[in-house]
Amino acid sequence: MPAHQNGRATAPAPERSLRLARAIAAMIPGAATARVSQCDPTQVWPSPHLRAYDAYGHLLTVTRAKGLTAARWIIRAHQDVDWAEAHDLDLATGTLRPAATAYATAGGR
């Protein structure tokens, strides 16, 4: 059971994270990874932003509304994460890790 603070879980339980990943995968067909950040390149102020990639690392087209909604869901589910940098959510396992780590383990691809 996750620790609670002010009636809210401080960290998502693994099954919650997996349910979130499955919901986002259903929302964005073909997506294997969702990269989330607070830096939307089209905005000058912090704004939730999501980019989706398929299993081969190709960028998928995501509407602004879907991307914003999914990014908000992920950010709210993982409040303990430092969102100053981008993070990748693996939609198969529900694992969230810094995008720089994911990039380094993929051999820079």
Side-chain angles (χ1 to χ4, degrees):
M1 189 113 171
H4 286 79
Q5 178 181 359
N6 298 332
R8 300 184 89 174
T10 55
E15 63 274 356
R16 259 186 85 202
S17 187
L18 187 56
R19 279 187 303 173
L20 173 63
R22 286 181 180 160
I24 292 170
M27 199 165 135
I28 308 167
T33 304
R35 179 164 291 167
V36 182
S37 71
Q38 282 279 24
C39 302
D40 185 343
T42 63
Q43 306 290 335
V44 293
W45 54 86
S47 178
H49 182 69
L50 179 133
R51 287 186 177 160
Y53 298 91
D54 65 12
Y56 301 105
H58 299 127
L59 184 64
L60 299 174
T61 302
V62 179
T63 64
R64 184 177 185 281
K66 282 185 182 180
L68 188 60
T69 301
R72 284 181 179 161
W73 287 354
I74 295 167
I75 290 169
R76 287 179 183 164
H78 298 276
Q79 295 177 6
D80 56 329
V81 173
D82 177 19
W83 288 105
E85 64 177 88
H87 284 73
D88 286 347
L89 178 67
D90 184 334
L91 299 181
T93 64
T95 305
L96 184 75
R97 62 182 177 172
T101 303
Y103 183 78
T105 59
R109 291 180 278 147

